[in-house]
Amino acid sequence: MKAKDYFTRYVNEFPDKSNEWKVVKTFRDIFCEAQEIAKSRNAKTDTAFQNIFKELNQKANSFCRMVNEIDAMNLKNDAFMIFVESENPEFYRAVYPNGR
């Protein structure tokens, strides 16, 4: 799914939820994409997973810019990777043993 698609879902789905909740839900959905991408690319190495997460982070950055334009949430660049690190530190350290 593209950043625009995630943004469309952000705007249209879950109108009763807070913007913060919708951003976290989107980040979780983007995170789940990693498994599908890894499977399709037959990714096995740390480098392969780092590249996948670099791509996903770029997508999330685009999504964040769109959200910031309409909701002025001031989401930072790399907010997705900060989310991954805070939600699943063991996974983050496995993919980035020396940090990003």
Side-chain angles (χ1 to χ4, degrees), residues 2 10 12 17 24 28 32 42 47 51 55-56 60 62 65 72-75 81 83-84 86 92 94-96 99:
K2 294 182 177 188
Y10 170 86
N12 295 321
K17 299 291 185 180
V24 169
R28 285 189 176 136
C32 289
N42 199 24
T47 304
N51 289 332
E55 290 173 30
L56 293 176
S62 294
R65 282 190 296 277
M73 289 185 63
N74 294 322
L75 296 169
M81 291 309 294
F83 168 80
V84 171
S86 67
Y92 183 84
V95 174
Y96 294 102

Side-chain angles (χ1 to χ4, degrees):
M1 192 179 287
K2 294 182 177 188
K4 280 184 179 181
D5 299 326
Y6 281 116
F7 179 70
T8 300
R9 284 182 45 202
Y10 170 86
V11 170
N12 295 321
E13 288 185 16
F14 308 110
D16 57 326
K17 299 291 185 180
S18 71
N19 293 340
E20 292 81 7
W21 185 92
K22 292 189 286 186
V23 167
V24 169
K25 165 98 171 86
T26 301
F27 283 175
R28 285 189 176 136
D29 292 344
I30 292 171
F31 181 83
C32 289
E33 259 191 75
Q35 185 176 10
E36 297 168 25
I37 294 169
K39 191 175 187 179
S40 71
R41 295 182 186 175
N42 199 24
K44 304 252 189 268
T45 65
D46 287 349
T47 304
F49 279 96
Q50 289 169 356
N51 289 332
I52 289 168
F53 274 90
K54 187 182 292 184
E55 290 173 30
L56 293 176
N57 190 53
Q58 289 172 339
K59 180 186 302 192
N61 285 341
S62 294
F63 166 77
C64 289
R65 282 190 296 277
M66 289 182 249
V67 169
N68 285 342
E69 284 181 23
I70 66 161
D71 287 334
M73 289 185 63
N74 294 322
L75 296 169
K76 293 191 222 180
N77 228 16
D78 299 335
F80 173 72
M81 291 309 294
I82 295 166
F83 168 80
V84 171
E85 184 176 17
S86 67
E87 286 290 305
N88 199 333
E90 295 86 23
F91 176 83
Y92 183 84
R93 281 191 300 274
V95 174
Y96 294 102
N98 300 318
R100 282 184 287 133

